Amino acid sequence: EYAAEDFLWGEANAGLRALLERAPAWSNLRLVVWGAPGVGKTHLAHLWAAQSGALVMTALGLRTPPIAPPDQPLAIDDADAAISETALFHTLNAAREAGLPVLLTARVPPARAAIALPDLASRLRASSVAELAGPDDRLLAMLLDRLAAERERAVPEPVKRFLLDRLPREAAAL
């Protein structure tokens, strides 16, 4: 589940939070949020969708031609894994023509994505882009506390420091 209370905000992602609230200011009404696997891109897309009334879809599910032009904002997860670049291209165009914002998630920024369709590459590079970086120390500590609380456990401070100093710097490791 992608509940708002389950997403941890910290200094590492504060700028992105402000950017999500300003969809009309996104370049061409598109924002590409990129980051490593497991940093929370999908969760963030669902949060934005709930807040903006957007339809959440995965790029793997896009088909050509689109079934119908969008009538609500879109959140497209894993945009860089689209099976049909043409379908993604047409979906972005239809949303732009309808004046609807689109949030896309990806593992790499558009400038580094291996996109064969030049028009799609150009559309994505003309989008606003933001990185969802991995968690900082404070965010990792908050996550460890939350995970322990969900299991009705308390982690003593020395143990927490030990774990945070030695585990990989990613949420999945906790």
Side-chain angles (χ1 to χ4, degrees):
E1 293 185 36
Y2 299 109
E5 60 272 8
D6 290 335
F7 192 87
L8 297 175
W9 293 101
E11 288 182 35
N13 55 23
L16 183 55
R17 185 178 199 172
L19 186 59
L20 288 173
E21 295 169 358
R22 298 190 322 264
W26 298 347
S27 179
N28 295 304
L29 291 176
R30 290 185 300 269
L31 173 63
V32 179
V33 175
W34 69 277
V39 295
K41 299 179 302 293
T42 299
H43 195 159
L44 192 68
H46 279 81
L47 293 181
W48 179 79
Q51 185 178 36
S52 64
L55 172 66
V56 180
M57 56 179 42
T58 176
L60 296 172
L62 294 175
R63 302 284 180 248
T64 303
I67 296 168
D71 59 357
Q72 65 192 96
L74 297 174
I76 302 174
D77 199 22
D78 293 327
D80 52 350
I83 292 173
S84 172
E85 289 184 357
T86 304
L88 181 56
F89 172 74
H90 287 300
T91 301
L92 293 178
N93 281 346
R96 179 70 180 134
E97 288 173 16
L100 297 168
V102 179
L103 172 73
L104 302 105
T105 68
R107 292 184 178 196
V108 296
R112 290 195 343 236
I115 301 171
L117 188 64
D119 288 340
L120 176 60
S122 141
R123 297 287 188 288
L124 292 174
R125 284 194 303 268
S127 303
S128 295
V129 178
E131 179 183 11
L132 182 55
D136 57 20
D137 288 348
R138 184 173 167 272
L139 214 51
L140 283 171
M142 289 170 50
L143 180 58
L144 183 57
D145 287 340
R146 176 173 288 170
L147 291 171
E150 287 173 358
R151 289 156 180 80
E152 299 180 9
R153 302 279 190 246
V155 179
E157 194 61 35
V159 173
K160 187 184 334 180
R161 276 288 24 113
F162 179 87
L163 292 171
L164 293 174
D165 288 345
R166 287 163 179 81
L167 289 174
R169 314 290 306 153
E170 54 192 39
L174 296 180

